[in-house]
Amino acid sequence: MEYTNAEIREMAIDKVCSVNNEDCLEVFNQYFSYLNNVDFIYVDLQRGSDIISSVINMFDIKKGEVSSVFYSNKLMILNTDLFSKKAEGVFLNYDIGLDTQIVSYIERYINGCLDDVNIPVVLPLRINRTIASEINIDAYVSENCIISKEFDFKNRISIWSVFYFLNIPIMSEEEAKINADDSTNQIIQFVKYARMANVYKERYDYTYCMLLKIVLLNFEKSKIREKLIELLKFQNEVTCTSDMGFVNIGLAYWEQGTKLRFFGKVQKGKKNILNILRNMAWDIFHWMQTALNFKVDPQKSACINIPMFYSVDSRFLELSKIIKLKAVAVDKNTNVTYPKFEFNRLDEFLSFEEQKVHLGAEALRKRNENRGYVDTEKIYKELEIELINKGIF
């Protein structure tokens, strides 16, 4: 079958991200002509450099954890200019997302009512950072404002407090207030009018779909292999996606059950299960969104953004460790990010031919052809009905 150059480019990106880390350079060279303007960041335990620890150490966190989205801090950065030695290096910027709990802690700290035990959570953030970095509150804004596109008084105060708090080390109190006002208004305008706000809602709906399907499969009387195949079929044929991050979550849950603390409340007879699952979906969404946040400043062609996440939620942190990236590609021509989650267990469950059927080039083509027809909201509503009709909860 003949493929277009765009399809070959996408398959080449997937190939580079999918091979064993020590083979990335060789495969990159094979597809070199299709990979112009694509940045790859991938784990390489032999040749990689630790570009993460210095950022984490800068904050001196004693409570909670600043997490990299990669399973190791030893990373390689590769693109056609670096490969052909046309560029001497790249400028790195680090983007640290705060979980929603930390945002609320900062607001209470500003108001003088944060309990002493949680002061060490927020104070390490109030430094004059020596490494190019930003701190974002995307998780709080997404969870509290994206769907309704409304900002009540509490939302505004919480958002303003974070900007004010972060500005204090580098400017006067009056300047910090003015800048906090400006930043808060910019976020409000973004959520109300930017097209990207609708993209975030769609991604959350998709995350909720996948969580519902994983939970439904958990209560099926079938082997894990059969659950895995059903999940892959659901991705290929219903959501038109291929996301091994959710396969990791599914396998961990099906094997460990509620011993995986993130799923501790998902038990038979549990009331308000849909509300519980919606809140769980937000946690997964925040991590998956962090894994996509390799945005590039179009004015700085040599700039690569490295996302991280700061959380004090031990259940979430436990879950995040099973959905780490092995590689990511950022296509600067299309502004699309391709995360590749660490996953090496397919051979335990699927033959080579089965893997080709569910994850090969033809499956990719069919997903691309049908993705525009997917109604994610309709899918999750149908899954909710199915879950309730099962009589499990």
Side-chain angles (χ1 to χ4, degrees), residues 316-335:
F316 165 78
L317 290 169
E318 180 186 21
L319 182 78
S320 72
K321 287 175 173 53
I322 65 173
I323 39 177
K324 295 276 194 175
L325 296 181
K326 73 182 288 286
V328 67
V330 181
D331 187 339
K332 290 185 282 192
N333 286 351
T334 60
N335 201 29

Side-chain angles (χ1 to χ4, degrees), residues 307-362:
M308 305 172 77
F309 199 76
Y310 180 26
S311 178
V312 291
D313 185 338
S314 60
R315 296 181 310 116
F316 165 78
L317 290 169
E318 180 186 21
L319 182 78
S320 72
K321 287 175 173 53
I322 65 173
I323 39 177
K324 295 276 194 175
L325 296 181
K326 73 182 288 286
V328 67
V330 181
D331 187 339
K332 290 185 282 192
N333 286 351
T334 60
N335 201 29
V336 174
T337 299
Y338 298 87
K340 182 66 65 172
F341 291 92
E342 168 66 359
F343 186 80
N344 53 16
R345 300 187 61 195
L346 277 178
D347 291 343
E348 293 180 36
F349 301 99
L350 303 177
S351 68
F352 174 77
E353 286 302 317
E354 288 172 321
Q355 292 179 41
K356 187 177 178 181
V357 167
H358 296 295
L359 302 169
E362 189 53 30

Side-chain angles (χ1 to χ4, degrees), residues 32-136:
F32 184 89
S33 60
Y34 293 99
L35 296 175
N36 182 51
N37 226 16
V38 180
D39 290 326
F40 291 92
I41 305 101
Y42 61 92
V43 173
D44 192 319
L45 298 177
Q46 282 73 45
R47 294 167 295 190
S49 300
D50 185 346
I51 61 173
I52 301 295
S53 294
S54 59
V55 181
I56 295 174
N57 295 338
M58 178 174 64
F59 291 103
D60 192 26
I61 301 293
K62 295 293 192 300
K63 187 173 182 179
E65 184 177 318
V66 177
S67 303
S68 166
V69 292
F70 293 96
Y71 75 85
S72 169
N73 290 346
K74 298 193 71 175
L75 301 173
M76 287 280 287
I77 296 174
L78 181 63
N79 56 40
T80 54
D81 285 344
L82 291 171
F83 189 83
S84 58
K85 299 187 176 1
K86 292 180 181 178
E88 295 181 359
V90 293
F91 173 76
L92 297 179
N93 181 72
Y94 296 85
D95 199 305
I96 300 101
L98 304 182
D99 77 11
T100 56
Q101 189 65 49
I102 294 174
V103 171
S104 70
Y105 286 171
I106 291 174
E107 180 191 350
R108 282 147 57 186
Y109 178 83
I110 292 295
N111 293 328
C113 57
L114 181 62
D115 50 299
D116 290 345
V117 71
N118 285 316
I119 289 178
V121 174
V122 302
L123 279 187
L125 296 171
R126 193 178 236 181
I127 60 173
N128 191 352
R129 298 189 296 279
T130 56
I131 298 174
S133 54
E134 299 174 14
I135 294 177
N136 74 68

